[in-house]
Amino acid sequence: MKINIDVSKDNTITAFLVGVLVHGTQVGMGILGFQRIIAREAGHDAWISVILAALFTHLTVMTINKTLQKYPSADIYGIQEDVYGKWLGTAISIIYLTYFFVSAGVILRTYIEVVQTWMFPNLPTWVLSGIILFLAFYTVVGGIRVIAGYAFFSVMVTMWMIFELYFPLKFARWEYLFPIMDTSLENLFYGMIAMSLTSAGFEILYVAYPYVQNKEKVHKSAQLGVLVTYLIYLLVMIVALVFFSQGQLMRTIWATLNMQKMVYLPILERFELVVISFWLLVILPNIMLYLWASARGLKRLFGFNLRHSLYWIIPVIYVASLSLLSRQQMSRMTTIYSHITLYIIYVYPYFLYLMVWLKQRKQRVKPTSKGESA
């Protein structure tokens, strides 16, 4: 496998769209109910944990970008083979591509659960899962440019939803935020860790980087995408904290959707149903990018083309989505997945950067040593 990828100009995207991809992948199903998970650890200071998670995410994105900059045009699969060798590099890359398509499956199944809980309790899982995966397949085979275009469309079309927070703010009780810093630093840290599942998405940089035209602007664009994401998370968290009491928030699984019940329009009684319908536009870029990243992994490691890779991946996700039926199963799966995600996107990038730095430093030292002995 070639370490660096030669990409034709017709198959590249601008650095601006990298920020859109990062933002579009980070904002998914997690934002609909992340408040309870963070507040369970940090209480009414949960908004501080969101800020801490944002700072840590910015630092991790910088580390990922520094790793990628050490190669002309390499992705995570090529870098790992260069650092660890063929066999160990391939084994770790298989873990990484598995993480990508599992992420797509988790997002898909979580959205289906929301639709079945709030809108159509009797809708068969196999119907909605098949429709969404077909839409994702149809887009992914078009390549990264088509996916990036859809992600941009998705962000533009759903941007108006942020203004819905005005309605629950009319019932805000700001005293719920006080006293500030009443929670211990340890609990704030655990709240930051709990944001790991919601923060996932920026690791897509590892696969998208070779397809960017102006790579020198990738870092700035990606950091801007993360910043916008966390500003939205912070706003949604604060609104939830001043709208719900702590007791109410601990009993509310989908806090963001519950706040949509406060939206009153004369021609529409249940606005949260509109939000859930529109949310399909939000989660589709997530599923598409993760499918594309895993399919790229199969192509890089085993030579399968993109379409044939999807023929393997999508049936696995489809069958897996049918096997998770109860809320307890979903909760258990989400807990396990969030723990794995924490290590893959927040711990491993620092280790990989260290390994790349050591390898390239060793390569620079060798010729110098030989020259001195001569």
Side-chain angles (χ1 to χ4, degrees), residues 36 41 45 49-50 64 92 96 106 171 175 178 224 266 278:
R36 177 177 63 93
E41 304 291 345
D45 285 328
S49 291
V50 175
I64 290 174
I92 297 176
Y96 227 97
V106 170
F171 302 92
E175 62 269 20
F178 299 97
L224 183 60
F278 263 90

Side-chain angles (χ1 to χ4, degrees), residues 144-218:
I144 186 64
R145 288 172 66 98
V146 177
I147 298 173
Y150 181 85
F152 179 79
F153 168 78
S154 171
V155 171
M156 292 297 103
V157 169
T158 57
M159 190 179 296
W160 59 271
M161 291 185 182
I162 195 68
F163 297 104
E164 304 160 10
L165 296 175
Y166 163 77
F167 292 92
L169 272 178
K170 293 193 295 185
F171 302 92
R173 300 188 63 177
W174 294 98
E175 62 269 20
Y176 285 161
L177 292 178
F178 299 97
I180 296 175
M181 287 298 294
D182 187 48
T183 307
S184 67
L185 291 177
E186 181 182 8
N187 288 339
L188 289 176
F189 174 77
Y190 284 125
M192 180 189 75
I193 297 299
M195 277 288 295
S196 61
L197 180 58
T198 308
S199 305
F202 58 86
E203 70 279 8
I204 205 69
L205 280 171
Y206 273 135
V207 187
Y209 184 79
Y211 295 87
V212 184
Q213 296 169 7
N214 41 345
K215 292 180 173 57
E216 69 280 357
K217 297 182 180 179
V218 168

Side-chain angles (χ1 to χ4, degrees), residues 13 17 20-21 23-25 27 111 131-132 135-140 142-158 277-289:
I13 59 176
L17 287 176
V20 174
L21 291 179
H23 170 69
T25 313
V27 178
Y111 179 73
I131 292 172
I132 294 175
L135 292 173
F137 171 83
Y138 185 76
T139 306
V140 172
I144 186 64
R145 288 172 66 98
V146 177
I147 298 173
Y150 181 85
F152 179 79
F153 168 78
S154 171
V155 171
M156 292 297 103
V157 169
T158 57
S277 302
F278 263 90
W279 215 254
L280 178 60
L281 299 177
V282 176
I283 61 106
L284 269 175
N286 302 16
I287 296 174
M288 292 171 185
L289 279 165

Side-chain angles (χ1 to χ4, degrees), residues 3 23 28 38 99 106-107 110 125 151 153 165 171 206 223 266-267 297 357 360 365:
I3 304 303
H23 170 69
I38 316 303
Y99 159 75
V106 170
I107 295 167
T110 306
T125 301
F153 168 78
L165 296 175
F171 302 92
Y206 273 135
Q223 293 286 18
I267 59 172
W357 181 81
Q360 295 192 351
V365 168

